[in-house]
Coordinates of all heavy atoms in Angstrom, one line a residue:
M1 N 37.9 -27.4 45.1 CA 37.2 -26.3 44.5 C 37.6 -25.0 45.2 O 37.7 -25.0 46.4 CB 35.7 -26.5 44.5 CG 34.9 -25.3 44.0 SD 33.2 -25.6 44.0 CE 32.9 -25.2 42.3
N2 N 37.8 -23.9 44.5 CA 38.2 -22.7 45.0 C 37.0 -22.1 45.8 O 35.9 -21.9 45.3 CB 38.6 -21.7 43.9 CG 39.1 -20.4 44.4 OD1 39.1 -20.1 45.5 ND2 39.6 -19.6 43.4
V3 N 37.2 -21.8 47.1 CA 36.2 -21.3 48.0 C 35.6 -19.9 47.5 O 34.4 -19.7 47.5 CB 36.7 -21.1 49.4 CG1 35.7 -20.5 50.3 CG2 37.1 -22.5 50.0
T4 N 36.5 -19.0 47.0 CA 36.1 -17.7 46.6 C 35.1 -17.9 45.4 O 34.1 -17.2 45.3 CB 37.3 -16.9 46.2 OG1 38.1 -16.8 47.3 CG2 36.8 -15.5 45.7
K5 N 35.5 -18.7 44.4 CA 34.7 -19.0 43.3 C 33.3 -19.6 43.7 O 32.3 -19.2 43.1 CB 35.4 -19.8 42.2 CG 34.6 -20.0 41.0 CD 35.3 -20.7 39.9 CE 34.5 -20.8 38.7 NZ 35.2 -21.0 37.5
M6 N 33.4 -20.5 44.6 CA 32.1 -21.1 45.1 C 31.2 -20.1 45.7 O 30.0 -20.1 45.5 CB 32.5 -22.2 46.1 CG 31.2 -23.0 46.6 SD 31.6 -24.3 47.8 CE 31.9 -23.2 49.2
L7 N 31.8 -19.2 46.5 CA 30.9 -18.2 47.2 C 30.4 -17.1 46.3 O 29.2 -16.8 46.3 CB 31.7 -17.5 48.3 CG 32.0 -18.4 49.6 CD1 32.9 -17.7 50.5 CD2 30.7 -18.8 50.2
F8 N 31.3 -16.6 45.5 CA 30.9 -15.4 44.6 C 30.4 -15.9 43.3 O 29.6 -15.1 42.7 CB 32.1 -14.5 44.5 CG 32.5 -13.8 45.8 CD1 33.7 -14.1 46.3 CD2 31.6 -13.0 46.5 CE1 34.1 -13.6 47.5 CE2 32.0 -12.4 47.7 CZ 33.2 -12.7 48.2
G9 N 30.8 -17.0 42.8 CA 30.3 -17.5 41.5 C 28.8 -17.8 41.5 O 28.2 -17.7 40.4
N10 N 28.3 -18.1 42.6 CA 26.9 -18.4 42.7 C 26.1 -17.3 43.4 O 25.0 -17.6 43.9 CB 26.7 -19.8 43.5 CG 27.3 -20.9 42.7 OD1 27.2 -21.0 41.5 ND2 27.9 -21.8 43.4
S11 N 26.6 -16.1 43.5 CA 26.0 -15.1 44.3 C 24.6 -14.7 43.7 O 23.7 -14.4 44.5 CB 26.9 -13.9 44.4 OG 27.1 -13.3 43.2
V12 N 24.4 -14.8 42.4 CA 23.1 -14.4 41.8 C 22.1 -15.4 42.4 O 21.0 -15.0 42.8 CB 23.2 -14.5 40.3 CG1 21.8 -14.3 39.7 CG2 24.2 -13.5 39.8
L13 N 22.4 -16.7 42.4 CA 21.5 -17.7 42.9 C 21.2 -17.5 44.4 O 20.0 -17.5 44.8 CB 22.1 -19.1 42.7 CG 21.3 -20.2 43.3 CD1 19.9 -20.4 42.6 CD2 22.1 -21.5 43.2
Y14 N 22.2 -17.1 45.2 CA 22.0 -16.9 46.6 C 21.1 -15.7 46.8 O 20.2 -15.7 47.7 CB 23.4 -16.7 47.3 CG 24.3 -17.8 47.2 CD1 25.7 -17.6 47.2 CD2 23.9 -19.1 47.2 CE1 26.6 -18.6 47.1 CE2 24.8 -20.2 47.1 CZ 26.1 -19.9 47.1 OH 27.0 -21.0 47.0
F15 N 21.3 -14.6 46.1 CA 20.5 -13.4 46.2 C 19.0 -13.7 45.8 O 18.1 -13.2 46.4 CB 21.1 -12.2 45.5 CG 22.4 -11.8 46.0 CD1 23.4 -11.3 45.2 CD2 22.7 -11.8 47.4 CE1 24.6 -10.9 45.7 CE2 23.9 -11.4 47.9 CZ 24.9 -10.9 47.0
M16 N 18.9 -14.5 44.7 CA 17.5 -14.8 44.3 C 16.8 -15.7 45.4 O 15.6 -15.5 45.6 CB 17.6 -15.6 43.0 CG 17.8 -14.8 41.8 SD 17.8 -15.8 40.3 CE 18.1 -14.6 39.1
L17 N 17.5 -16.6 45.9 CA 16.9 -17.4 47.0 C 16.6 -16.6 48.2 O 15.5 -16.7 48.8 CB 17.9 -18.5 47.4 CG 18.1 -19.7 46.4 CD1 19.2 -20.6 46.9 CD2 16.8 -20.4 46.3
Y18 N 17.4 -15.6 48.5 CA 17.1 -14.7 49.6 C 15.9 -13.9 49.4 O 15.0 -13.8 50.2 CB 18.3 -13.7 49.8 CG 18.0 -12.5 50.7 CD1 18.0 -12.7 52.1 CD2 17.8 -11.3 50.2 CE1 17.7 -11.6 52.9 CE2 17.5 -10.2 51.0 CZ 17.5 -10.4 52.3 OH 17.2 -9.3 53.1
F19 N 15.7 -13.4 48.1 CA 14.5 -12.6 47.8 C 13.3 -13.5 47.8 O 12.2 -13.1 48.3 CB 14.7 -12.0 46.4 CG 13.6 -11.1 46.0 CD1 13.2 -10.0 46.8 CD2 13.0 -11.2 44.8 CE1 12.2 -9.2 46.4 CE2 11.9 -10.4 44.4 CZ 11.5 -9.4 45.2
L20 N 13.4 -14.7 47.3 CA 12.2 -15.6 47.3 C 11.8 -16.0 48.7 O 10.6 -16.0 49.0 CB 12.5 -16.9 46.5 CG 12.6 -16.7 45.0 CD1 13.0 -18.0 44.3 CD2 11.3 -16.3 44.4
F21 N 12.8 -16.1 49.6 CA 12.5 -16.4 51.0 C 11.8 -15.2 51.6 O 10.9 -15.3 52.4 CB 13.8 -16.7 51.7 CG 13.6 -17.0 53.2 CD1 13.0 -18.2 53.6 CD2 13.9 -16.1 54.2 CE1 12.8 -18.5 54.9 CE2 13.7 -16.4 55.5 CZ 13.1 -17.6 55.9
A22 N 12.3 -14.0 51.3 CA 11.7 -12.8 51.8 C 10.2 -12.6 51.3 O 9.3 -12.3 52.1 CB 12.5 -11.5 51.5
L23 N 10.0 -12.9 50.1 CA 8.7 -12.9 49.5 C 7.8 -13.9 50.3 O 6.6 -13.6 50.6 CB 8.7 -13.2 48.0 CG 9.1 -12.1 47.1 CD1 9.2 -12.6 45.7 CD2 8.2 -10.8 47.2
W24 N 8.3 -15.1 50.4 CA 7.5 -16.1 51.1 C 7.2 -15.7 52.6 O 6.1 -15.9 53.1 CB 8.3 -17.4 51.1 CG 7.7 -18.5 51.9 CD1 6.6 -19.2 51.6 CD2 8.2 -19.0 53.2 NE1 6.3 -20.1 52.6 CE2 7.3 -20.0 53.6 CE3 9.2 -18.7 54.0 CZ2 7.5 -20.7 54.7 CZ3 9.4 -19.4 55.1 CH2 8.5 -20.4 55.5
A25 N 8.2 -15.1 53.2 CA 8.1 -14.7 54.6 C 7.0 -13.6 54.8 O 6.3 -13.6 55.8 CB 9.4 -14.3 55.2
F26 N 7.0 -12.7 53.9 CA 6.1 -11.5 54.0 C 4.9 -11.6 53.2 O 4.1 -10.7 53.2 CB 6.9 -10.2 53.7 CG 7.9 -9.9 54.7 CD1 9.3 -10.1 54.5 CD2 7.5 -9.3 55.9 CE1 10.2 -9.8 55.5 CE2 8.5 -9.0 56.9 CZ 9.8 -9.3 56.7
W27 N 4.7 -12.7 52.5 CA 3.5 -12.9 51.7 C 2.2 -12.8 52.5 O 1.3 -12.0 52.2 CB 3.5 -14.2 51.0 CG 2.4 -14.3 50.0 CD1 1.2 -14.9 50.1 CD2 2.4 -13.7 48.7 NE1 0.4 -14.8 49.0 CE2 1.1 -14.0 48.1 CE3 3.3 -12.9 48.0 CZ2 0.7 -13.6 46.9 CZ3 2.9 -12.5 46.7 CH2 1.6 -12.8 46.2
P28 N 2.1 -13.5 53.6 CA 0.8 -13.4 54.4 C 0.5 -12.0 54.9 O -0.7 -11.6 55.0 CB 0.9 -14.4 55.5 CG 2.2 -15.2 55.2 CD 3.0 -14.4 54.3
T29 N 1.5 -11.3 55.4 CA 1.3 -10.0 56.0 C 1.3 -8.8 55.2 O 0.8 -7.7 55.5 CB 2.3 -9.8 57.2 OG1 3.6 -9.9 56.7 CG2 2.1 -10.9 58.3
Y30 N 2.0 -8.9 54.0 CA 2.1 -7.7 53.2 C 1.8 -7.9 51.7 O 0.9 -7.3 51.1 CB 3.5 -7.0 53.3 CG 3.6 -5.7 52.6 CD1 3.0 -4.6 53.1 CD2 4.3 -5.6 51.4 CE1 3.1 -3.4 52.4 CE2 4.4 -4.5 50.7 CZ 3.7 -3.3 51.2 OH 3.8 -2.2 50.5
Y31 N 2.6 -8.8 51.1 CA 2.5 -8.9 49.6 C 1.2 -9.5 49.1 O 0.7 -9.1 48.0 CB 3.6 -9.8 49.1 CG 5.0 -9.1 49.1 CD1 5.9 -9.5 50.0 CD2 5.3 -8.1 48.3 CE1 7.2 -8.9 50.1 CE2 6.5 -7.4 48.3 CZ 7.4 -7.9 49.2 OH 8.7 -7.3 49.3
S32 N 0.5 -10.3 49.9 CA -0.8 -10.9 49.4 C -1.9 -9.8 49.3 O -2.8 -10.0 48.5 CB -1.2 -12.0 50.4 OG -1.6 -11.5 51.6
N33 N -1.8 -8.8 50.2 CA -2.8 -7.7 50.1 C -2.2 -6.4 50.7 O -2.5 -6.1 51.8 CB -4.1 -8.1 50.9 CG -5.2 -7.2 50.7 OD1 -5.1 -6.2 49.9 ND2 -6.3 -7.4 51.4
P34 N -1.4 -5.7 49.9 CA -0.8 -4.5 50.4 C -1.7 -3.4 50.8 O -1.4 -2.5 51.6 CB 0.2 -4.1 49.3 CG -0.4 -4.8 48.1 CD -1.1 -6.0 48.5
F35 N -2.9 -3.4 50.3 CA -3.9 -2.4 50.6 C -4.5 -2.6 52.0 O -5.1 -1.7 52.5 CB -5.0 -2.3 49.5 CG -4.4 -2.0 48.2 CD1 -4.4 -3.0 47.2 CD2 -3.9 -0.8 47.9 CE1 -3.9 -2.7 45.9 CE2 -3.3 -0.5 46.6 CZ -3.3 -1.5 45.7
R36 N -4.3 -3.7 52.6 CA -4.8 -4.0 53.9 C -3.9 -3.1 54.9 O -4.5 -2.7 56.0 CB -4.6 -5.4 54.3 CG -5.0 -5.8 55.7 CD -4.9 -7.3 55.9 NE -3.6 -7.8 55.4 CZ -3.4 -9.1 55.2 NH1 -4.3 -10.0 55.5 NH2 -2.2 -9.5 54.7
V37 N -2.7 -2.9 54.6 CA -1.8 -2.1 55.5 C -2.1 -0.6 55.2 O -2.1 -0.2 54.0 CB -0.3 -2.4 55.2 CG1 0.6 -1.5 56.0 CG2 -0.1 -3.9 55.4
T38 N -2.3 0.2 56.2 CA -2.6 1.6 56.0 C -1.5 2.6 56.4 O -1.5 3.7 56.0 CB -3.8 2.0 56.8 OG1 -3.6 1.7 58.2 CG2 -5.1 1.2 56.4
Q39 N -0.5 2.1 57.1 CA 0.6 3.0 57.5 C 1.6 3.2 56.3 O 2.1 2.3 55.7 CB 1.4 2.4 58.7 CG 0.6 2.2 59.9 CD 0.1 0.7 60.0 OE1 0.1 0.0 59.0 NE2 -0.4 0.4 61.2
A40 N 1.9 4.5 56.1 CA 2.7 4.9 55.0 C 4.2 4.4 55.2 O 4.8 3.9 54.2 CB 2.8 6.4 54.8
N41 N 4.6 4.4 56.4 CA 6.0 3.9 56.7 C 6.2 2.4 56.4 O 7.3 2.0 55.9 CB 6.4 4.2 58.1 CG 5.6 3.5 59.1 OD1 4.4 3.2 58.9 ND2 6.2 3.3 60.3
V42 N 5.1 1.6 56.5 CA 5.2 0.2 56.2 C 5.3 0.0 54.6 O 6.1 -0.8 54.1 CB 4.0 -0.6 56.7 CG1 4.0 -2.0 56.2 CG2 4.0 -0.5 58.2
H43 N 4.6 0.8 53.9 CA 4.6 0.8 52.4 C 6.0 1.3 51.9 O 6.6 0.7 51.0 CB 3.5 1.7 51.8 CG 2.2 1.0 51.9 ND1 1.9 -0.2 51.3 CD2 1.1 1.5 52.5 CE1 0.6 -0.4 51.6 NE2 0.1 0.5 52.3
V44 N 6.5 2.3 52.5 CA 7.8 2.8 52.1 C 8.9 1.8 52.4 O 9.7 1.5 51.5 CB 8.2 4.2 52.8 CG1 9.6 4.6 52.6 CG2 7.2 5.3 52.4
H45 N 8.8 1.2 53.5 CA 9.8 0.1 53.9 C 9.7 -1.1 52.9 O 10.7 -1.6 52.4 CB 9.6 -0.3 55.3 CG 10.5 -1.5 55.7 ND1 11.8 -1.3 56.0 CD2 10.3 -2.8 55.8 CE1 12.4 -2.4 56.3 NE2 11.4 -3.4 56.2
G46 N 8.5 -1.5 52.6 CA 8.2 -2.6 51.7 C 8.7 -2.4 50.3 O 9.4 -3.2 49.7
I47 N 8.4 -1.2 49.8 CA 8.8 -0.8 48.5 C 10.3 -0.7 48.4 O 11.0 -1.2 47.4 CB 8.1 0.5 48.0 CG1 6.6 0.2 47.8 CG2 8.7 1.0 46.7 CD1 5.8 1.5 47.7
L48 N 10.9 0.0 49.3 CA 12.4 0.2 49.3 C 13.1 -1.1 49.5 O 14.1 -1.4 48.8 CB 12.8 1.2 50.3 CG 12.4 2.6 50.1 CD1 12.9 3.5 51.2 CD2 13.0 3.1 48.7
M49 N 12.6 -2.0 50.3 CA 13.3 -3.3 50.5 C 13.2 -4.2 49.3 O 14.1 -4.9 48.9 CB 12.7 -4.0 51.7 CG 13.5 -5.2 52.2 SD 15.2 -4.8 52.6 CE 15.9 -6.4 52.8
T50 N 12.0 -4.1 48.6 CA 11.8 -4.9 47.4 C 12.8 -4.4 46.3 O 13.4 -5.2 45.6 CB 10.4 -4.8 46.9 OG1 9.5 -5.3 48.0 CG2 10.2 -5.6 45.6
C51 N 12.9 -3.1 46.2 CA 13.8 -2.5 45.2 C 15.2 -2.8 45.5 O 16.0 -3.1 44.6 CB 13.6 -1.0 45.1 SG 12.0 -0.5 44.4
W52 N 15.6 -2.8 46.8 CA 17.0 -3.1 47.2 C 17.3 -4.5 46.8 O 18.4 -4.8 46.3 CB 17.1 -2.9 48.7 CG 18.5 -3.1 49.1 CD1 19.6 -2.3 49.1 CD2 19.0 -4.4 49.7 NE1 20.7 -2.9 49.6 CE2 20.4 -4.2 50.0 CE3 18.4 -5.6 50.0 CZ2 21.2 -5.1 50.5 CZ3 19.2 -6.5 50.6 CH2 20.6 -6.3 50.9
C53 N 16.4 -5.5 47.1 CA 16.6 -6.9 46.7 C 16.8 -7.1 45.2 O 17.7 -7.8 44.8 CB 15.5 -7.8 47.3 SG 15.5 -8.0 49.0
L54 N 15.9 -6.4 44.5 CA 16.0 -6.5 43.0 C 17.3 -5.9 42.5 O 17.9 -6.4 41.5 CB 14.8 -5.9 42.4 CG 13.5 -6.6 42.6 CD1 12.3 -5.8 42.1 CD2 13.5 -8.0 42.0
M55 N 17.7 -4.8 43.1 CA 19.0 -4.2 42.7 C 20.2 -5.1 43.0 O 21.1 -5.2 42.3 CB 19.1 -2.8 43.4 CG 20.3 -2.0 42.8 SD 20.5 -0.4 43.4 CE 20.6 -0.6 45.2
L56 N 20.1 -5.7 44.2 CA 21.2 -6.7 44.6 C 21.3 -7.8 43.5 O 22.4 -8.1 43.1 CB 20.8 -7.2 45.9 CG 21.9 -8.1 46.6 CD1 23.1 -7.2 47.0 CD2 21.3 -8.7 47.9
I57 N 20.2 -8.3 43.1 CA 20.2 -9.4 42.1 C 20.7 -8.9 40.8 O 21.5 -9.5 40.1 CB 18.8 -10.0 41.9 CG1 18.4 -10.7 43.2 CG2 18.7 -10.9 40.7 CD1 16.9 -11.1 43.3
T58 N 20.3 -7.7 40.4 CA 20.7 -7.0 39.2 C 22.2 -6.8 39.2 O 22.9 -7.1 38.2 CB 20.0 -5.7 38.9 OG1 18.6 -6.0 38.9 CG2 20.4 -5.0 37.6
Q59 N 22.7 -6.3 40.3 CA 24.2 -6.0 40.4 C 25.0 -7.2 40.2 O 26.0 -7.3 39.5 CB 24.5 -5.3 41.7 CG 24.0 -3.9 41.9 CD 24.8 -2.9 41.1 OE1 24.7 -2.8 39.9 NE2 25.7 -2.2 41.9
A60 N 24.6 -8.3 40.9 CA 25.3 -9.6 40.8 C 25.3 -10.1 39.4 O 26.2 -10.7 38.9 CB 24.8 -10.6 41.8
T61 N 24.1 -10.0 38.7 CA 24.0 -10.5 37.4 C 24.8 -9.7 36.4 O 25.5 -10.3 35.5 CB 22.5 -10.4 36.9 OG1 21.7 -11.1 37.9 CG2 22.3 -10.9 35.5
L62 N 24.9 -8.4 36.6 CA 25.7 -7.5 35.7 C 27.2 -7.9 35.9 O 27.9 -8.0 34.9 CB 25.5 -6.1 36.0 CG 24.1 -5.5 35.6 CD1 24.0 -4.1 36.2 CD2 24.0 -5.5 34.1
I63 N 27.7 -8.2 37.1 CA 29.0 -8.6 37.3 C 29.3 -9.9 36.6 O 30.3 -10.2 36.0 CB 29.4 -8.6 38.8 CG1 29.5 -7.2 39.3 CG2 30.7 -9.4 39.1 CD1 30.7 -6.4 38.8
R64 N 28.3 -10.8 36.8 CA 28.4 -12.2 36.2 C 28.6 -12.1 34.7 O 29.4 -12.9 34.1 CB 27.2 -13.0 36.5 CG 27.1 -14.3 36.0 CD 27.6 -15.3 37.0 NE 27.2 -16.6 36.7 CZ 28.0 -17.6 37.1 NH1 29.1 -17.4 37.7 NH2 27.6 -18.8 36.8
F65 N 27.9 -11.2 34.0 CA 28.0 -11.0 32.6 C 29.0 -10.0 32.1 O 29.0 -9.6 31.0 CB 26.6 -10.8 32.0 CG 25.7 -11.9 32.0 CD1 24.7 -12.0 32.9 CD2 26.0 -13.1 31.2 CE1 23.8 -13.0 33.0 CE2 25.1 -14.2 31.3 CZ 24.0 -14.2 32.2
K66 N 29.9 -9.5 33.1 CA 31.0 -8.6 32.8 C 30.5 -7.3 32.2 O 31.1 -6.7 31.4 CB 32.0 -9.2 31.9 CG 32.7 -10.4 32.6 CD 33.7 -11.1 31.7 CE 34.4 -12.2 32.2 NZ 34.0 -12.9 33.4
K67 N 29.4 -6.8 32.7 CA 28.8 -5.5 32.3 C 29.2 -4.5 33.4 O 28.3 -4.0 34.1 CB 27.3 -5.6 32.1 CG 26.8 -6.6 31.2 CD 27.2 -6.2 29.7 CE 26.6 -7.2 28.8 NZ 27.0 -6.9 27.4
Y68 N 30.5 -4.2 33.5 CA 31.0 -3.4 34.6 C 30.5 -1.9 34.6 O 30.2 -1.4 35.6 CB 32.5 -3.4 34.6 CG 33.1 -4.9 34.7 CD1 33.8 -5.4 33.7 CD2 32.8 -5.6 35.8 CE1 34.3 -6.7 33.8 CE2 33.3 -6.9 35.9 CZ 34.0 -7.5 34.9 OH 34.5 -8.7 35.0
E69 N 30.4 -1.3 33.4 CA 30.0 0.1 33.4 C 28.5 0.2 33.8 O 28.2 1.1 34.6 CB 30.2 0.6 32.0 CG 31.6 0.9 31.6 CD 32.3 1.8 32.6 OE1 31.7 2.8 33.0 OE2 33.5 1.5 33.0
L70 N 27.7 -0.7 33.4 CA 26.3 -0.7 33.8 C 26.1 -1.0 35.3 O 25.3 -0.4 36.0 CB 25.5 -1.7 32.9 CG 23.9 -1.6 33.1 CD1 23.4 -0.2 32.8 CD2 23.3 -2.6 32.1
H71 N 27.0 -1.9 35.8 CA 27.0 -2.2 37.2 C 27.4 -0.9 38.0 O 26.7 -0.7 39.0 CB 28.1 -3.3 37.4 CG 28.4 -3.5 38.9 ND1 27.6 -4.3 39.7 CD2 29.4 -3.1 39.6 CE1 28.1 -4.3 40.9 NE2 29.2 -3.6 40.9
K72 N 28.3 -0.2 37.5 CA 28.7 1.1 38.2 C 27.6 2.1 38.2 O 27.3 2.8 39.2 CB 29.9 1.7 37.6 CG 31.2 0.9 37.8 CD 32.4 1.7 37.1 CE 33.6 0.9 37.1 NZ 34.7 1.5 36.4
T73 N 26.9 2.2 37.0 CA 25.7 3.1 36.9 C 24.6 2.7 37.9 O 24.1 3.6 38.6 CB 25.2 3.1 35.5 OG1 26.3 3.4 34.6 CG2 24.1 4.1 35.3
V74 N 24.3 1.5 37.9 CA 23.2 1.0 38.9 C 23.7 1.3 40.3 O 22.9 1.7 41.2 CB 22.9 -0.5 38.7 CG1 22.0 -1.0 39.7 CG2 22.3 -0.7 37.3
G75 N 24.9 1.1 40.6 CA 25.5 1.3 41.9 C 25.4 2.8 42.3 O 25.0 3.2 43.4
K76 N 25.6 3.7 41.3 CA 25.5 5.1 41.6 C 24.0 5.5 41.8 O 23.7 6.4 42.6 CB 26.1 5.9 40.5 CG 27.6 5.8 40.4 CD 28.2 6.5 39.2 CE 29.7 6.3 39.2 NZ 30.3 6.8 38.0
L77 N 23.1 4.8 41.1 CA 21.7 5.1 41.3 C 21.2 4.7 42.7 O 20.3 5.3 43.3 CB 20.9 4.3 40.3 CG 20.9 4.8 38.9 CD1 20.1 3.9 38.0 CD2 20.4 6.2 38.8
S78 N 22.0 3.8 43.3 CA 21.6 3.3 44.7 C 21.8 4.4 45.7 O 21.2 4.3 46.8 CB 22.4 2.1 45.1 OG 23.8 2.4 45.4
Y79 N 22.6 5.4 45.4 CA 22.8 6.5 46.4 C 21.5 7.3 46.5 O 21.3 8.0 47.5 CB 23.9 7.4 46.0 CG 25.3 6.7 46.0 CD1 26.1 6.8 44.9 CD2 25.7 6.0 47.1 CE1 27.4 6.1 45.0 CE2 26.9 5.3 47.2 CZ 27.7 5.4 46.1 OH 28.9 4.8 46.1
A80 N 20.7 7.4 45.5 CA 19.4 8.1 45.5 C 18.5 7.4 46.4 O 17.7 7.9 47.1 CB 18.8 8.3 44.2

């Protein structure tokens, strides 16, 4: 089996597993009750990291389905 295809062909799955692991890891301290945390910087970090993970999954999915223009657009939005 081609190593490149094995690594990149399943990237959507790997990124989803990464995100699920992050949700599981931060569930007790943040996601289960985000209003318990009062520091704004923790909320900003949590929101941005969640958005980044979702964008990573979206980008890989768009490449998988050969939606290159939409992939580029989402990539450009990441600069904001």
Side-chain angles (χ1 to χ4, degrees):
M1 177 176 232
N2 187 350
V3 176
T4 304
K5 184 172 181 157
M6 184 182 74
L7 288 175
F8 297 114
N10 296 321
S11 61
V12 175
L13 175 63
Y14 299 147
F15 295 145
M16 285 181 178
L17 288 173
Y18 168 78
F19 184 55
L20 289 175
F21 181 74
L23 284 175
W24 174 74
F26 289 101
W27 188 262
T29 58
Y30 185 74
Y31 288 110
S32 66
N33 188 4
F35 299 109
R36 178 178 46 194
V37 178
T38 58
Q39 299 95 345
N41 62 333
V42 175
H43 286 297
V44 169
H45 177 76
I47 291 166
L48 289 177
M49 189 61 189
T50 301
C51 290
W52 182 82
C53 286
L54 293 174
M55 188 174 60
L56 187 65
I57 294 167
T58 302
Q59 288 284 80
T61 304
L62 290 171
I63 287 294
R64 178 92 162 151
F65 290 108
K66 297 181 180 12
K67 304 289 183 183
Y68 301 117
E69 288 304 314
L70 190 53
H71 170 83
K72 288 180 190 178
T73 303
V74 172
K76 289 174 184 172
L77 289 174
S78 72
Y79 295 130

